[in-house]
Amino acid sequence: MTGRGIGAVAPQGSGPVTRRAIGVLRPAGYAVLPAELALVFCLVTGTRVPGGLLLAVEAGVVLLAAGAATVFVRLRRSGLTRRQAVEELVPPLVLRLAGHELRLMRSLVMWPLGRRDGVGDGATAFGHARDQAALMFGFGFVAVVETVALSVLLRDFPALHAVVLVLDVYTVLFVLGLQAAAVTRPHVLDGAGLRLRQGAHLDLRIPLGLITSVRRETLFTHEKHDDVLDLPIGSQTSLTLQLAEPATFATGFLGRPRTVRTVRFHADDPKALYAAVRAAVDARPGPSTTSSTTSVTAPAATRERTPPSPRTAPHG
């Protein structure tokens, strides 16, 4: 069974002409977009850019955008959805990086509003961000101090100061975004299954029918095993799921597929999540084999004891 995670590959639904066009657009994008960023940097810092170079870069950007739009329309006409067309057009690594940054910025907006992602009607959310909060806020404080210190040190170098300031502000937003993503993207349990998240980069959907057991166990060290997926928060996991069969998930920041039978993860309230998962698994049709907090064994079979036969008196 295959679990679909963020960044799964879209189905192939384009013709050979479109394939060749994508093969041209991707290398062109790797060349044109960095050149455009370098051009923007030069303009911001006041560096003089030759007119011919400026015209060539901007023409490349326009042609790249026009070509990408044309291929996108062709992909849509071939029957792909918008998401699938984008996944076909954009390199997977670029798509994952851009998607990760967008989810971080979206989480920064949702956090102060008290909104949570992916928690629909009939679903129960379980937070997992509490044990990393102190570390994230500590990193954020250090980043703010660094921003102020470098602003003072570079005040006599306006161009360098502007570049470093942008990078420092982005760093602060990135660190806060990591915590915001953990808060606004909790684990979710509903009638279909258990959705496990880790920040903005990992999203696993595990059907209830695939779960054979759940147990509570707090671990701070995790030995590496090929068939075990660890999703620690603050270097710890508190719950372990055992799957009925190997399942493949997109894991890690780059979405590397892994086939596992055991998933260890963390929750702020492991007792509540354990009880909820166990109840959901027990309530599904058919027998369930959910384990309890400690290993539960069936009572050993014992032979029924019968009263001893009456002893006959000896004959005199």
Side-chain angles (χ1 to χ4, degrees):
M1 182 170 184
T2 300
R4 181 178 175 88
I6 294 176
V9 178
Q12 309 297 317
S14 55
V17 175
T18 304
R19 288 281 173 203
R20 287 195 293 269
I22 293 175
V24 172
L25 287 172
R26 286 185 174 180
Y30 285 130
V32 171
L33 295 181
E36 177 69 10
L37 291 176
L39 187 62
V40 171
F41 173 78
C42 292
L43 294 176
V44 170
T45 57
T47 304
R48 184 177 178 276
V49 179
L53 178 60
L54 177 61
L55 180 61
V57 172
E58 295 305 321
V61 172
V62 172
L63 291 175
L64 179 65
T70 302
V71 173
F72 179 81
V73 171
R74 287 186 178 182
L75 291 172
R76 292 283 288 133
R77 288 177 178 175
S78 69
L80 298 184
T81 64
R82 289 188 179 89
R83 181 183 180 88
Q84 291 170 344
V86 171
E87 290 176 347
E88 285 282 330
L89 185 59
V90 181
L93 177 59
V94 176
L95 189 63
R96 285 192 66 85
L97 292 175
H100 182 265
E101 299 307 299
L102 290 176
R103 286 189 291 271
L104 287 184
M105 298 304 111
R106 182 170 179 263
S107 298
L108 283 174
V109 176
M110 296 175 63
W111 192 13
L113 298 177
R115 298 174 57 189
R116 293 177 296 181
D117 176 79
V119 184
D121 296 335
T124 306
F126 298 90
H128 59 270
R130 182 179 60 198
D131 291 329
Q132 73 172 23
L135 180 64
M136 290 295 102
F137 289 137
F139 282 151
F141 176 76
V142 172
V144 170
V145 172
E146 178 188 8
T147 301
V148 175
L150 290 178
S151 296
V152 174
L153 293 174
L154 299 177
R155 62 181 181 274
D156 296 329
F157 307 92
L160 183 59
H161 174 264
V163 174
V164 173
L165 180 61
V166 170
L167 294 176
D168 283 340
V169 171
Y170 173 77
T171 301
V172 174
L173 292 177
F174 182 84
V175 172
L176 292 178
L178 292 177
Q179 179 63 15
V183 173
T184 60
R185 299 168 60 84
H187 303 317
V188 180
L189 178 66
D190 57 22
L194 178 62
R195 187 177 183 183
L196 302 179
R197 264 101 73 94
Q198 190 178 50
H201 66 275
L202 190 133
D203 193 341
L204 307 182
R205 292 175 173 85
I206 304 177
L208 291 178
L210 191 60
I211 301 174
T212 60
S213 68
V214 56
R215 63 182 181 269
R216 291 176 57 194
E217 56 177 3
T218 301
L219 300 175
F220 292 93
T221 58
H222 305 85
E223 295 182 2
K224 298 297 182 181
H225 298 283
D226 292 338
D227 62 344
V228 177
L229 176 61
D230 295 316
L231 307 176
I233 298 294
S235 300
Q236 67 172 312
T237 59
S238 53
L239 290 159
T240 300
L241 292 179
Q242 196 68 35
L243 307 182
E245 61 186 45
T248 302
F249 301 102
T251 64
F253 187 77
L254 300 180
R256 182 173 62 90
R258 281 192 59 189
T259 301
V260 298
R261 290 203 62 168
T262 302
V263 180
R264 297 188 291 212
F265 62 102
H266 181 65
D268 292 341
D269 189 352
K271 181 178 180 180
L273 181 50
Y274 163 78
V277 172
R278 181 174 182 181
V281 173
D282 288 342
R284 71 189 178 189
S288 61
T289 58
T290 307
S291 66
S292 61
T293 304
T294 57
S295 299
V296 177
T297 57
T302 57
R303 185 174 57 185
E304 183 180 359
R305 299 184 61 185
T306 58
S309 302
R311 301 177 62 182
T312 59
H315 297 285

